[in-house]
Amino acid sequence: MKIGVYPGTFDPITHGHTDIIVRSLRVFDKVIVAVAPNPTKRPLFDLAERLEMVKLVTKGLPHVEVVTFKGLLVEYVQKRKAHAVIRGLRAISDFEYEFQMALVNRKLNKSVETVFLMPSEEYSYLTSTIIKEVARFGGRLTDFLHPQVAQRLLRRIGTRAT
Ligand code: ADP
């Protein structure tokens, strides 16, 4: 049984993330979506909210487990007896950072592989940061986010603005 761990901040989960989860289910028997606290990124949603939204969006997908994790990713991967880290690659601009992370993780634990998957091109420009900007300026979110995630984002931005 091949297990992949898909880590990220998911602030909030977008259709781009979901696209990667669906693709990874074609490669792995089980996918663990691991939501990281990432306080240095100063997320808009707290960890519990991000976890809840990922659970909501992936509810209908078989063989997906959604968790939060603390500490080193490679340690978590080993603890779960997983085979690989899954990351999405949108564009060349993602490459440098992802390449560094994959090699650092390999240095930390040489048995952990990183697998990169490319999203559908319609999501290749999509980032959680851009979506938050679109939401702030009242743009339409339905092409990018699950309706309930969009609703929560608008509510959050509304409360922040007041
Ligand atoms: P992190 O802080 O770990 O980068 P993110 O939630 O921003 O967390 O991203 C998690 C993973 O999902 C990363 O590998 C990122 O490249 C990938 N990702 C994010 N948005 C998209 C998208 N639109 N298409 C494909 N992959 C994506």
Side-chain angles (χ1 to χ4, degrees):
M1 167 128 150
K2 290 283 178 208
I3 303 175
V5 173
Y6 179 36
T9 313
F10 303 101
D11 185 44
I13 183 168
T14 69
H15 288 343
H17 292 120
T18 313
D19 183 279
I20 296 296
I21 296 168
V22 169
R23 282 174 205 285
S24 50
L25 286 168
R26 297 187 191 143
V27 180
F28 294 94
D29 299 303
K30 175 176 174 167
V31 173
I32 300 171
V33 184
V35 185
N38 276 347
T40 49
K41 281 198 159 183
R42 296 168 95 337
L44 182 62
F45 293 98
D46 69 27
L47 187 59
E49 292 172 306
R50 285 181 275 136
L51 175 81
E52 203 180 303
M53 287 188 278
V54 176
K55 280 188 174 165
L56 173 87
V57 171
T58 58
K59 204 169 48 191
L61 295 174
H63 316 299
V64 173
E65 182 184 338
V66 187
V67 299
T68 60
F69 80 103
K70 274 197 240 124
L72 273 182
L73 175 64
V74 285
E75 281 173 9
Y76 184 72
V77 171
Q78 197 158 42
K79 189 173 105 189
R80 296 301 310 266
K81 299 189 173 26
H83 302 87
V85 172
I86 300 160
R87 295 287 288 177
L89 263 193
R90 284 162 293 199
I92 303 278
S93 52
D94 279 342
F95 181 77
E96 181 116 26
Y97 174 69
E98 295 293 342
F99 183 69
Q100 281 174 355
M101 277 228 309
L103 290 185
V104 168
N105 283 337
R106 178 177 287 166
K107 198 87 186 162
L108 293 169
N109 185 332
K110 62 180 182 331
S111 66
V112 173
E113 294 296 339
T114 303
V115 171
F116 294 101
L117 295 174
M118 265 152 286
S120 159
E121 58 192 43
E122 63 186 304
Y123 303 131
S124 60
Y125 57 89
L126 195 54
T127 71
S128 298
T129 306
I130 284 176
I131 289 312
K132 284 178 271 191
E133 283 301 295
V134 172
R136 277 191 187 99
F137 294 106
R140 193 160 48 89
L141 298 171
T142 45
D143 291 345
F144 315 120
L145 301 179
H146 183 286
Q148 287 183 50
V149 173
Q151 216 172 48
R152 290 178 75 140
L153 177 57
L154 288 174
R155 220 183 306 143
R156 173 55 46 90
I157 283 176
T159 45
R160 286 246 160 157
T162 52

